[in-house]
Amino acid sequence: MSNFSILFALSITILLRLAHCHIIDELTDVDLVELDQKAQKQKLSRFRIYWHDITSGTPPSSIPIVKPVIKTGFGQINMIDNPLTLGPELSSKAVGKAQGFYGLASQEELGFLMAMNFFFTTGKYNGSSITILGRNAVFDHVREMPIIGGAGLFRWARGYVQARTHDLDLKSGDTTVEYTIYVMHY
Ligand SMILES: *[C@@H]1O[C@H](CO)[C@@H](O)[C@H](O)[C@H]1NC(C)=O
């Protein structure tokens, strides 16, 4: 290498270093507003509700929006606005809706990707929601899915749900699933 190319490489290195420092300096200049130094106490709550996937009925609460192209069903996607109730009966007290979609994401078994918001419409939690995103192998006795966030009173929510099939009507395809929700929130 000639003296010139060594010098050139050296100056590029120094320039990059300087640019890097400059970015860091700019970041430290960002005006961070500390909203609450004494963070409130986080709570861990547990509650149980029932999720009704009604594919029969008029109108259904769960409709296929993408039909599978292969026999296994892989690729099917359902959009849902499923009732959430306190008890296992659909006629029991309504607490909200499960809104979102689920899709058959496994080629080997009935394994779904669930992406939904539990939107609550009663009492203190009226208008608040939690967001669930996870894997649901529906023939497993217990399926665990993460709670990845929330809104309203569930702001900053983290946690998980455990889903257990309560009732499956093979003729209509309607399903009731018990959801036990473990959620950390403020
Ligand atoms: C929930 O909130 C909505 C919108 O603010 C309101 O219209 C409704 O009456 C509330 N429902 C209950 C059960 O409090």
Side-chain angles (χ1 to χ4, degrees):
M1 244 202 284
S2 70
N3 278 349
F4 176 75
S5 29
I6 289 172
L7 206 62
F8 182 72
L10 208 63
S11 26
I12 289 291
T13 314
I14 288 168
L15 272 179
L16 283 176
R17 282 262 162 105
L18 282 176
H20 181 67
C21 289
H22 186 61
I23 289 167
I24 299 222
D25 282 348
E26 281 200 349
L27 266 184
T28 54
D29 282 346
V30 168
D31 190 16
L32 291 175
V33 182
E34 284 195 11
L35 293 177
D36 188 1
Q37 277 197 317
K38 291 175 273 155
Q40 299 144 298
K41 212 157 175 240
Q42 210 173 22
K43 297 187 279 269
L44 172 62
S45 302
R46 185 192 68 193
F47 55 100
R48 182 170 298 157
I49 51 179
Y50 291 84
W51 177 97
H52 304 270
D53 194 61
I54 306 161
T55 50
S56 69
T58 41
S61 71
S62 171
I63 56 167
I65 53 164
V66 175
K67 305 268 191 195
V69 291
I70 55 174
K71 263 213 321 249
T72 58
F74 176 68
Q76 174 168 337
I77 298 176
N78 272 44
M79 201 81 205
I80 60 170
D81 187 16
N82 284 351
L84 296 170
T85 59
L86 267 192
E89 279 77 42
L90 186 55
S91 56
S92 71
K93 187 179 164 57
V95 294
K97 291 291 193 71
Q99 299 173 334
F101 57 86
Y102 59 79
L104 195 42
S106 169
Q107 305 245 40
E108 266 93 48
E109 53 172 347
L110 271 184
F112 288 88
L113 162 72
M114 311 292 290
M116 57 187 174
N117 293 312
F118 281 11
F119 176 63
F120 298 98
T121 50
T122 47
K124 183 179 162 192
Y125 292 97
N126 186 13
S128 297
S129 61
I130 57 175
T131 302
I132 296 165
L133 180 73
R135 180 172 186 274
N136 186 7
V138 291
F139 287 137
D140 287 357
H141 177 55
V142 184
R143 291 90 70 184
E144 192 167 299
M145 290 167 263
I147 293 170
I148 60 165
L153 285 181
F154 289 116
R155 201 177 275 172
W156 302 109
R158 304 287 289 169
Y160 63 97
V161 299
Q162 288 186 331
R164 294 172 175 84
T165 303
H166 178 78
D167 196 24
L168 167 61
D169 185 334
L170 285 175
K171 232 169 84 192
S172 65
D174 293 353
T175 311
T176 302
V177 179
E178 175 198 286
Y179 272 82
T180 309
I181 295 158
Y182 298 83
V183 61
M184 307 263 269
H185 60 110
Y186 289 96

